Amino acid sequence: MKVWFKDKSWYIKAYCRIKQDYRIFIIARIKDIKILEEHFERELPKETSTNYKMKMISLELEIKKEMSYRVYDEFEKENSDFIIKVEFPENDWVYGYILSFGEHIKVISPEYAKNIIREKLKTVIRIPVIEEEK
């Protein structure tokens, strides 16, 4: 009925014959899939109130080749230089996700996202380092 990407995973909304109801499945967890010739006509279920519109951010990122395994896993590669154009919900998760690439990523656009990341890095730098006991 529906396929979407959220929090680094692909999901599918489908009718579950076992539960006799619509369910959400994480595609990566499906171990045995068969393509059947069956067809059916069903009305889409009404969306629940948990499906709300999020503010989205369109990012252009340059990711170094050392992170190519992540690019192959998480994005459809646009070209060999790993210039990625992607749209994510704009929230703290997306900025943490970008920062998880460390020095291997550069935000090309938008400019305000670069500024948000700069401010987050300044905050991290201000956090005192606790020395380990010897």
Side-chain angles (χ1 to χ4, degrees):
M1 304 302 260
K2 183 176 181 181
V3 177
W4 73 95
F5 183 79
K6 178 183 174 190
D7 297 330
K8 301 192 309 183
S9 294
W10 282 98
Y11 293 80
I12 187 168
K13 182 181 238 179
Y15 188 79
C16 176
R17 289 182 176 172
I18 294 169
K19 300 288 185 180
Q20 296 292 301
D21 198 4
Y22 293 95
R23 293 289 190 258
I24 296 170
F25 304 93
I26 297 174
I27 293 175
R29 293 185 183 167
I30 298 173
K31 294 183 180 175
D32 186 26
I33 191 165
K34 295 176 187 150
I35 298 174
L36 305 174
E37 294 297 322
E38 289 182 43
H39 292 82
F40 61 92
E41 300 267 339
R42 293 200 192 264
E43 187 176 315
L44 283 171
K46 291 183 180 178
E47 298 295 331
T48 64
S49 62
T50 58
N51 293 332
Y52 54 92
K53 297 281 184 196
M54 288 191 206
K55 180 181 175 192
M56 301 297 284
I57 181 170
S58 295
L59 295 163
E60 187 171 356
L61 309 169
E62 179 181 332
I63 302 174
K64 292 184 180 179
K65 63 183 176 185
E66 292 86 359
M67 294 282 113
S68 62
Y69 69 94
R70 285 187 65 182
V71 174
Y72 287 123
D73 288 347
E74 298 173 20
F75 300 100
E76 183 177 327
K77 191 175 77 152
E78 185 174 285
N79 63 36
S80 60
D81 295 333
F82 299 118
I83 303 295
I84 306 298
K85 292 180 182 176
V86 65
E87 189 170 82
F88 284 124
E90 185 174 6
N91 53 33
D92 281 338
W93 173 86
V94 76
Y95 295 110
Y97 177 71
I98 291 167
L99 289 167
S100 76
F101 282 88
E103 71 273 13
H104 302 287
I105 193 165
K106 174 183 172 185
V107 176
I108 297 170
S109 69
E111 192 65 34
Y112 80 89
K114 293 184 207 182
N115 294 332
I116 290 171
I117 290 171
R118 277 188 199 102
E119 290 305 312
K120 288 186 178 295
L121 288 170
K122 286 178 186 177
T123 302
V124 170
I125 290 170
R126 285 188 220 119
I127 296 171
V129 176
I130 299 171
E131 292 187 32
E132 292 183 35
E133 292 181 29
K134 294 185 180 184

